Amino acid sequence: MPLEIACDESGSEGEKLIGGQTDVFAHAGVRLSTEEAAACLVELRRRIRSPALEYKANHLLRTKHRRVLEWFLGPLGPVHGRAHVYLVDKKLLLANELRTLLGRDFPPDERLLAAFNDVLRTRNRRDPASGSFFAMAGDSAELRAKVAELRDAKVLDPLVPAILRAVGRWSEDGEQVFLVHDEQPSLRGERLAEIESSPGLAGLKFVDSRTDPRVQVADFLVGVARRIAEDELNGNGDTILTALLAPYIDPKSLWN
């Protein structure tokens, strides 16, 4: 039997990596049975005691529920040693792609990064964003050709690489992996085919998170992980929470 892993993401804004709502993308995989996940949700509800019909990560992140969050992530919690989180610093991903494109380092100019993000996201070659980027980066036929290749490859959206990494992480010991993932309408065509052809993947099923307690637990984990990581990135980190999250973070995360 393949190993079933429940997954969810947080902070996904497609190819928009700068100027969006989030600075960090996170993807989590959880290895729990349906019964174990359901018991975890019952315990979270008992500890949080909110009248909300559906619990989300924001409930755990409230100051008054700090002890519940520490329990959830801590060594006595339900996901410790049974979950994995892949983090992406969006600005770092964008900067790495630009550095590779230009073949050199560049000044840490957010305007240049924003223009680069815009030129890769637009499908209209005559869009004004293109002129802005090439004016700053140096216009040439070679650079325009490279940008066109990157546009077509859709290299900026971290979702597919994150799912592929989840497959790689959980199949490291030679087990085949079956992913149960929260619904992702953007995954179709070539992007879905790339995932489905991944070595180590036995199958993939998309579900409404409300129907699968395992995915709900993954939703809790990935939501708090993204917020903790984002606070750390922006200089507002919490030492205790950062330390509690550390064992979950994939060493191949794009993260400093």
Side-chain angles (χ1 to χ4, degrees):
M1 291 288 291
L3 181 64
E4 287 204 4
I5 302 298
C7 300
D8 202 357
E9 56 74 25
S10 181
S12 180
E13 298 180 74
E15 294 177 286
K16 188 173 182 63
L17 299 184
I18 193 169
Q21 298 297 312
T22 59
D23 298 322
V24 174
F25 168 86
H27 186 271
V30 173
R31 188 187 76 244
L32 293 174
S33 69
T34 301
E35 294 74 21
E36 289 169 330
C40 172
L41 296 177
V42 168
E43 182 62 17
L44 284 171
R45 184 172 288 276
R46 186 188 72 79
R47 290 174 182 246
I48 292 174
R49 298 185 181 280
S50 167
L53 296 178
E54 183 181 5
Y55 280 26
K56 305 292 286 185
N58 283 340
H59 287 89
L60 272 177
L61 289 164
R62 293 171 185 169
T63 302
K64 64 181 178 179
H65 297 140
R66 172 61 180 252
R67 289 186 179 180
V68 185
L69 176 55
E70 292 183 3
W71 164 78
F72 179 73
L73 291 175
L76 300 180
V79 291
H80 193 266
R82 307 181 73 178
H84 140 280
V85 177
Y86 179 81
L87 296 174
V88 175
D89 175 342
K90 294 182 179 182
K91 191 179 294 184
L92 180 59
L93 171 59
L94 190 61
N96 285 349
E97 289 292 341
L98 181 56
R99 188 175 297 109
T100 299
L101 176 74
L102 298 179
R104 56 178 170 79
D105 285 331
F106 57 89
D109 187 338
E110 287 216 7
R111 294 180 306 156
L112 178 59
L113 283 176
F116 179 53
N117 200 175
D118 287 342
V119 79
L120 289 190
R121 293 177 65 216
T122 181
R123 299 296 172 247
N124 181 356
R125 301 300 196 265
R126 296 182 180 180
D127 189 281
S130 297
S132 177
F133 170 71
F134 290 114
M136 286 187 278
D139 202 347
S140 70
E142 180 183 7
L143 183 59
R144 285 183 177 271
K146 288 181 178 179
V147 167
E149 289 179 7
L150 287 175
R151 274 193 188 115
D152 294 337
K154 295 186 177 180
V155 298
L156 295 187
D157 189 345
L159 180 57
V160 170
I163 296 176
L164 294 175
R165 177 55 196 152
V167 175
R169 159 66 181 83
W170 290 104
S171 63
E172 284 175 347
D173 294 331
E175 290 188 81
Q176 289 287 297
V177 176
F178 188 96
L179 294 186
V180 181
H181 205 294
D182 188 28
E183 293 174 327
Q184 295 292 332
S186 67
L187 293 179
R188 55 183 182 271
E190 292 181 1
R191 303 181 79 211
L192 181 58
E194 182 180 1
I195 295 170
E196 292 178 333
S197 64
S198 175
L201 183 66
L204 172 64
K205 178 174 70 173
F206 293 104
V207 301
D208 183 333
S209 63
R210 293 170 295 184
T211 67
D212 193 310
R214 299 170 299 176
V215 179
Q216 290 179 46
V217 174
D219 176 75
F220 269 102
L221 176 60
V222 78
V224 299
R226 184 191 62 76
R227 179 73 68 82
I228 293 168
E230 205 158 72
D231 287 345
E232 184 72 19
L233 180 67
N234 293 323
N236 303 311
D238 182 302
T239 304
I240 294 174
L241 294 182
T242 299
L244 286 173
L245 180 63
Y248 296 91
I249 299 177
D250 188 321
K252 293 189 178 181
S253 293
L254 189 57
W255 187 254
N256 285 332

